Amino acid sequence: MAEAVFRHQVKQAGLVQKIAIDSAGTGDWHIGHPPHQGTRDILDKNLIDYKGMQARQVTSDDFVQFTYIIAMDESNVKNLAAFAPPPKDGEKRASIHKLLDFAPARTNKDVPDPYYTGNFQEVYEMVEESCARLLDFIIEKEHPTTD
């Protein structure tokens, strides 16, 4: 859900050519599968494209390829440590943040997994707000120019 929402917001901002977006899980349960039907339903309702999206697992290359890795909860943050390659001299590595860190008014900093809770609307609202603020953060920090 977060990948699709963020892609949509980046497209609206005219930054598709400047910001690479991908999502991956720390587990391997759903590799190759499309988003959950509940996620597809809420994305359809909000006219957000998810075509071609399928689950993959985090790799050590992600820590070098990307500038930011955004986790949904504290468990993800801890699990990401298992994928992080040993640091090399002078190598830039992705910084890890939790998505809800970009929603300062929210006291709970873990996105609940709607796969288990069934509350796709609530998660969508959290993701939409946090992704918008994440995009603002990236624009301020990285200064990408529009397409």
Side-chain angles (χ1 to χ4, degrees):
M1 184 185 301
E3 177 186 355
V5 169
F6 195 60
R7 280 184 187 280
H8 181 76
Q9 292 176 354
V10 166
K11 183 178 181 181
Q12 288 182 319
L15 295 170
V16 171
Q17 300 300 320
K18 304 293 181 179
I19 299 175
I21 305 161
D22 195 9
S23 63
T26 56
D28 61 359
W29 310 274
H30 304 291
I31 292 175
H33 296 152
H36 183 279
Q37 184 62 51
T39 294
R40 294 194 310 258
D41 290 345
I42 198 79
L43 293 173
D44 286 340
K45 177 182 169 186
N46 289 282
L47 305 174
I48 296 176
D49 184 32
Y50 52 87
K51 191 174 18 187
M53 286 178 49
Q54 58 181 247
R56 73 172 184 88
Q57 190 171 26
V58 173
T59 69
S60 60
D61 290 342
D62 292 332
F63 289 83
V64 179
Q65 181 179 355
F66 295 101
T67 306
Y68 305 100
I69 294 179
I70 309 299
M72 296 297 109
D73 60 31
E74 191 60 35
S75 174
N76 290 156
V77 171
K78 289 177 182 168
N79 291 335
L80 284 165
F83 294 94
K88 294 179 184 173
D89 281 345
E91 182 178 68
K92 262 190 126 180
R93 296 188 55 186
S95 60
I96 299 171
H97 305 267
K98 288 199 300 187
L99 183 62
L100 291 184
D101 287 345
F102 296 97
R106 293 194 180 267
T107 54
N108 178 13
K109 295 300 181 184
D110 288 346
V111 176
D113 189 339
Y115 182 83
Y116 298 107
T117 66
N119 198 344
F120 289 89
Q121 180 62 42
E122 176 188 17
V123 170
Y124 174 79
E125 291 166 11
M126 290 176 179
V127 166
E128 182 183 41
E129 173 192 2
S130 299
C131 283
R133 291 174 187 235
L134 170 60
L135 181 56
D136 290 343
F137 171 82
I138 290 171
I139 289 169
E140 182 179 316
K141 192 150 173 93
E142 307 295 333
H143 308 291
T145 56
T146 56
D147 299 337

